[in-house]
Amino acid sequence: MDRSRRIAALACALALPLSAAALAAAQEPAAPAGEPAAPAVDPPAAAPAPDVTAPRLLLGGRRAQHLAPHLEADGSCDEYCEFEISARVYGVPGLRQVDVLTPDKAGEGGARMHFHILVSPRAHRLMNDALRDGRRVAVALNVIAYDLADNQTAGRRWIRVRPPA
C-alpha cells in the first residue's frame, strides 16, 4: 500500500469510528480487475434486542367455591414473572376487598403459582350474612403479571362464593 493511502486510512480511522471490517478493507490492497474480490468479513454480532413482549398470563382455579377462611386461585406465565394481585368483593354490604397472599419469588415460565384469598373473621361473617339473605357474593381477582423487563399483562378471575359446606 502506498504512503498516501495509508495516511488517508489513518486520517479516516481517527476522524470516524470504523468497524473492524471497514478498517481491514481499507488496509487490504484492491484486487486487480479480472480477479474475484476477497470474501467480506462479517461485522461483529449486535447486542440482543431488549425484551418488549409482555408475558402471557393464564389464570385458573375453581370458579365457584364454598366460603372458607381462604379461597384459592392460581396463575402462570410463559416466562419468568411476578404477580401483583388485589381482590374486590361484590354483593356484600360493608365489605369492599379482602387480602391476597401471593408468592414472594418470581414464577418460572409455565410453573403454576398458587394464590390464597384470605377471608378475615369479619369478612367471613359479612359474607355469610349476605349469603343467608339470598345475595350473590362474588370475588373478582385482579392480577397483573410483570416479567423481568417490566412488561406487564393484566387479567381477571371471578370466583362465586357459595355458603359454607
Side-chain angles (χ1 to χ4, degrees), residues 41-134:
V41 178
D42 292 334
D51 179 16
V52 294
T53 306
R56 222 175 67 219
L57 175 65
L58 181 65
L59 298 173
R62 293 186 317 196
R63 292 188 184 271
Q65 299 180 29
H66 291 284
L67 183 59
H70 70 274
L71 306 172
E72 296 180 349
D74 52 46
S76 64
C77 293
D78 61 341
E79 58 183 300
Y80 279 100
C81 63
E82 292 183 2
F83 299 100
E84 184 178 307
I85 304 173
S86 63
R88 172 92 162 83
V89 180
Y90 292 91
V92 180
L95 184 63
R96 288 194 144 239
Q97 63 186 26
V98 290
D99 293 329
V100 181
L101 185 65
T102 60
D104 290 336
K105 61 180 179 138
E108 190 174 321
R112 188 178 299 180
M113 304 298 279
H114 296 283
F115 314 126
H116 297 280
I117 299 112
L118 304 176
V119 180
S120 67
R122 177 184 174 272
H124 194 282
R125 187 183 76 244
L126 290 173
M127 285 180 169
N128 201 17
D129 290 347
L131 288 168
R132 278 195 209 137
D133 291 344

